[in-house]
Amino acid sequence: MLLSPNLLAEGQPRYISDNVFLYILNGPGTDYRILGSIEAGQPITLLGETQGDYSKIVDHKGREGWVQTNLISSTPSFREQVSTLTNELNEAKAKLAEVLSSTDNHTDEVAELKAKLNEAETMLSKTTQERDSLKVTVDRSAQDAQFALWREGGLIAAAGLVVGVILVYLPRPQRRNKKRWM
C-alpha cells in the first residue's frame, strides 16, 4: 500500500489528455455536481486520492475536484509540446544562422590565410634562390682566395728557384791555397 502508484504520483504534475474536453466533478462519479470544465492539455496536480475510475485533482485554476483516471496523462499535451518544440526550433534556426554566418567568416578567413600562405611561399622561394646564389658567390670567393694563395706560393717557389740557380752560378770566392805564401 505504501508503494501504491497513486501515493507515488501524489503532488506530481499531470496533464489532461489531448483531444478531450471534460468536466471536473465535485465527487468520484457522474452523479456529482459539475464544478467546471478542463480543456485538453491543461496542467493539473494529482492529489493521490482515487475511487473507482476517478482521481482527485487540482486544476490550473486552483479548483479541487474529480476526473476520470483514464483521461489523465503523465506527459505534456501536444499543444505544450508543439509550443516547446517551436521555441526550440527557432533557437536551433538562430544558432544555425549564426554558425552559417561564422562559417562564411571562416571561409573568408581561410581564403585570406591561403593568400598569405601563397605570398609566404613566394617569398620563401625568392629567399631560397637568393641564398643559393649567395652560397655560390661565397664558394667562388673561397676558391678564388685559395687560388690566390696557390699562385702566391708558386711565385715564391719560382723566385726561390731563380735565386737558387743564380746563387749556384755566381762566381765563388777563391779559397786561398794553404801552400801559398802570401
Side-chain angles (χ1 to χ4, degrees), residues 16 42 58 140 172:
I16 296 299
Q42 292 296 323
V58 174
R140 283 186 189 156
R172 290 189 187 156

Side-chain angles (χ1 to χ4, degrees), residues 28 63 94 129 143 178:
R63 297 178 295 191
Q129 288 175 352
Q143 287 175 355
K178 290 185 185 181

Side-chain angles (χ1 to χ4, degrees), residues 7 15 34 50 84 87 89 99 104 115 122 150 170 174:
L7 291 176
Y15 303 89
I34 296 174
T50 303
T84 302
N87 291 337
L89 177 63
V99 166
D104 292 340
T122 304
W150 279 98
L170 280 179
Q174 298 272 334

Side-chain angles (χ1 to χ4, degrees), residues 114-128:
K114 282 184 180 179
K116 286 182 180 180
L117 178 63
N118 288 337
E119 182 180 323
E121 287 175 345
T122 304
M123 290 181 70
L124 177 64
S125 67
K126 285 181 183 178
T127 306
T128 303

Side-chain angles (χ1 to χ4, degrees), residues 16 20-22 24 36-40 42 44 57 59 63 67:
I16 296 299
V20 176
F21 181 86
L22 65 108
I24 186 169
S37 62
I38 301 175
E39 193 174 315
Q42 292 296 323
I44 61 168
I57 62 151
D59 71 355
R63 297 178 295 191
V67 293

Side-chain angles (χ1 to χ4, degrees), residues 57-72:
I57 62 151
V58 174
D59 71 355
H60 64 285
K61 294 181 181 177
R63 297 178 295 191
E64 191 174 304
W66 295 79
V67 293
Q68 289 181 349
T69 304
N70 64 347
L71 299 178
I72 297 174

